[in-house]
Amino acid sequence: QLEALEAVTNCRKVVVWGRDGMKARQYQQDMQKAGVWQIEVVSTPQEVAQRCRLLVTVTSAAEPLLRAGDVLPGTHITCIGADADGKQELDPAIFCTAAVVVCDSRSQCCSFGEVSAAVKSGLIDSTAVLEMGQVIDMPELHRKHDDTRITIFDSTGIAAQDVTIAKAVYQQLRQAAL
């Protein structure tokens, strides 16, 4: 995930938390070898949320690691860990604070993604969850540099959309470089 972000963000400071501190430090060493990233390992997921405006959750957690009060305005969260029943990284209440919730597959994410707990508990309606294709066609929903909205992308894994997203990002980057 981090290597993919290199092409779409200027940020090179990364704050990482992991349940296994030794693995987190090994990740830090491995990623810093390329000389691109400055990586700091912290002791709690809340520290990451308090210091970062781009959060990527990639765990197999069965209970929420982040609560609604942990996430600051202007934060975007990309969730890719809750890709099966029994996995959950976010407190469902976080979805109540989000201005935009996007997923790769609404039916799939409402069944077992991060979105599912919020939908099943009645905190959000499934119709409020947009699919990636919808957002690509709605520039007014795209994040801006000074955005103060909390936004969430929940991915449970749809290969065809991964290719389409990569193509759209690539095209935007090429246009920006011209």
Side-chain angles (χ1 to χ4, degrees):
Q1 291 298 312
L2 185 56
E3 290 169 339
L5 290 173
E6 183 178 353
V8 295
T9 181
N10 297 353
C11 179
R12 297 298 180 251
K13 294 181 181 180
V14 179
V15 181
V16 175
W17 170 82
R19 287 179 293 223
D20 183 325
M22 287 184 63
K23 287 182 180 177
R25 285 186 294 283
Q26 183 62 54
Y27 176 80
Q28 175 188 36
Q29 291 174 2
D30 293 346
M31 294 307 293
Q32 286 184 156
K33 284 179 186 175
V36 174
W37 306 102
Q38 298 172 25
I39 299 178
E40 179 184 353
V41 177
V42 296
S43 58
T44 68
Q46 290 71 29
E47 282 183 77
V48 176
Q50 290 297 306
R51 295 179 49 195
C52 301
R53 296 303 156 267
L54 171 59
L55 304 175
V56 180
T57 61
V58 189
T59 74
S60 57
E63 295 182 6
L65 301 171
L66 293 173
R67 304 279 173 205
D70 299 334
V71 180
L72 298 177
T75 299
H76 172 75
I77 307 169
T78 295
C79 312
I80 61 173
D83 57 359
D85 275 334
K87 292 183 177 182
Q88 185 178 359
E89 299 169 308
L90 302 181
D91 172 3
I94 290 174
F95 288 89
C96 296
T97 67
V100 181
V101 178
V102 182
C103 65
D104 51 3
S105 166
R106 183 183 298 123
S107 63
Q108 191 166 287
C109 288
C110 288
S111 295
F112 59 81
E114 285 296 337
V115 169
S116 68
V119 169
K120 290 174 183 174
S121 64
L123 292 173
I124 62 170
D125 189 271
S126 64
T127 59
V129 179
L130 302 172
E131 289 191 341
M132 181 57 79
Q134 294 172 284
V135 175
I136 289 172
D137 291 336
M138 299 173 74
E140 66 274 14
L141 295 180
H142 298 186
R143 289 187 60 90
K144 311 292 186 273
H145 176 69
D146 58 351
D147 209 324
T148 59
R149 300 172 301 166
I150 292 174
T151 57
I152 301 172
F153 175 63
D154 183 13
S155 176
T156 53
I158 305 291
Q161 284 185 342
D162 290 345
V163 172
T164 302
I165 292 166
K167 182 178 175 184
V169 168
Y170 175 75
Q171 289 172 343
Q172 285 182 347
L173 289 172
R174 285 198 53 157
Q175 288 176 349
L178 297 178

